[in-house]
Amino acid sequence: MPEYKQFPLADTAEGLTEADILTWHVKPGDEVTVNQIVVEVETAKAAVELPIPWAGVVTELHVEPGQTVEVGTPILTIDVDPNGTAAPAPSANGSAAAAEEPAEEEEMKPLVGYGSKKVVAKRRPRKETTAEPPAAQPPAAAVAPAPSAPAPSAPEPRGGYVPLAKPPVRKLAKDLGVDLHSLTGSADGGVITRDDVRRAASGAPADTPSTVEGYDPATRERRVPIKGVRKKTAQAMVASKFTAPHVTEFLTVDVTPMMELRAKLKNSPEFAGVKLTPLAFAAKAMCLAAKRTPDVNAVWDEENQEIVYKDYVHLGVAAATPRGLIVPKIRDADGLSLLELARALEELTATARAGKTTPGDMINGTITISNVGVLGVDTGTPIITPGESAILAFGSIKDTPWVVDGEIKVRKVLQLALSFDHRLIDGQQGAEYLADVGALLADPAIAFTY
C-alpha cells in the first residue's frame, strides 16, 4: 500500500509566519529524490527554493502559485512507498492516508543551506466521516502520467537580469518565439504573465490599462495586494522610523583623488576582470571609520536596556530588485581588502537582481550603505535598517565647480548623508564618523594612517 507524507511550509528564516507560493517545480506523478527542489516561495525577505526531505512520488499539490500560506501548512503530499513494500495494511476506515497514523508532531529534516535548525510541522486534525471510504489510491508507478512537454531550460542571464516568469509562462514564450528579456511584467512585482507573452506575440501594445492585472476600468485605478518583500519592507521602515529617533547630517566631498586612484587600479593586473565601483571605496571607508567611532556600529537593546558594541562589521547594502528593496549583508566586511570588497559587492548585486538572495544573507547587519547615486540622485535622508544604528546614503558623483587653492576648477564631487539613532549616537559622534568617511574618500592616502 502507498505511504503518504505531507510536506509543510517550513520556517526558512527567524520569525517567518507566511510565504507566497511562486513556482512549483514538480507536478502530481513526478518522482522526486531527497533534497530535490520542489517549490520556490517568496517570504517577507526573499525568494527561497525549498527542497523536500523524502524520496517518492508526488500525489497532490495543495496550493496554487500566487497563494499565501502560513508556516506549517501542508503544501504537497508525497507517496514515499509507491510500490507498497513497506506500508502496513490500512485501518478500518479504509483511508490510505491513515494506514499508519504518525505522531501529532513530526520533526522535519533541516532544509539544505539553512543549518541544523529544527522545524516542526503540525499535522492538521483529520476529519471524521461516516461516508463510504474512498478507494485506496493506486501506486503512482502504476499510473501513467499525462504526457507533457519537457520543461524549458533555465534562461541565460542577460547583463545579470533574469526575467520573472513561472515555468508555464517561460514555455509559452518559447513556443511563441517571444524573448522574455524584452517584456515588462504586468503582475505584482514585475512578474510576467501569459497575457503579457500573448500580447507580445500578437504585436499588441503592452501594459494598456484594460489589460493590466488588477485594473478597474470603472474607477481607472489598479489595486495590487501588499505582500512579500514589499509588505515586510513597509513594516520594517515604519517600525524603525517611529522607534529610533532619526537625525541626518550631510557632507559634500571632492572625490577627484579617489576617482583618479580608481582609474589606476582598474588598469592594474590585480583588479583585472573586477568591477571596481566608487561604492567599493565607500564601503572600505565606512569600515575603517567605524573603528574610530564604534557607536555607529553599535545597537540599542531596548529590552535589556543595554548598548551592544560589535567588534565586527556586517555591512548591509540596500539593493533595489524586481520584488522590492532588500538589504543583503557582506559578512565581516571590515576584514576585507578593497579588492575583496569589490568582488563581494559584484556578487551581492548579481545575486539580488536574480532574486536568489537567501534570508540568511539579510539578517544581523551592523551598518548599511544605500547607493542612491546610481540613479542620479544627489542625496537623501535614508531610514535606518531595523536592528542597526546608522545608514549612509552615497550620492551621485558629478563634475562640479570647486574652489581649489583659491581657484575655481571642475572637480568630481559627491554628497553623503548619514542618518543615525540619536539614542546612542550624539550629533558630534555622527559628524565625526561622517567627516572620517568623507576624508577617506577625498584623500584615500589617509587610509594608511589607520
Side-chain angles (χ1 to χ4, degrees), residues 19-24 39-42 63-67 69 75:
D20 301 328
I21 304 298
L22 287 182
T23 305
W24 282 108
V39 65
E40 182 179 12
V41 303
E42 183 181 30
V63 291
E64 296 291 333
Q67 283 187 250
V69 295
I75 59 175

Side-chain angles (χ1 to χ4, degrees), residues 230 317-328 349 352-354 371 374-375:
R230 175 58 58 195
V317 182
T321 74
R323 291 190 174 95
L325 177 68
I326 63 173
V327 187
T349 302
R353 287 177 178 171
N371 185 13
V374 73
L375 301 174

Side-chain angles (χ1 to χ4, degrees), residues 359-371:
D361 289 334
M362 292 188 287
I363 60 175
N364 299 329
T366 61
I367 191 170
T368 293
I369 185 169
S370 178
N371 185 13

Side-chain angles (χ1 to χ4, degrees), residues 339-357:
L339 175 60
E340 291 169 330
L341 279 171
R343 287 174 175 162
L345 284 168
E346 187 174 6
E347 180 179 353
L348 176 150
T349 302
T351 302
R353 287 177 178 171
K356 299 300 181 182
T357 304

Side-chain angles (χ1 to χ4, degrees), residues 44-45 226 228-244 246 325-327 329 362 382-388 391 423:
K45 296 183 178 181
I226 301 172
V229 175
R230 175 58 58 195
K231 182 178 181 179
K232 180 65 175 181
T233 300
Q235 293 172 341
M237 293 300 98
V238 170
S240 175
K241 189 65 176 178
F242 292 99
T243 300
H246 283 55
L325 177 68
I326 63 173
V327 187
K329 322 296 179 187
M362 292 188 287
I383 298 177
I384 302 166
T385 303
E388 302 176 14
I391 180 172
R423 291 177 298 178

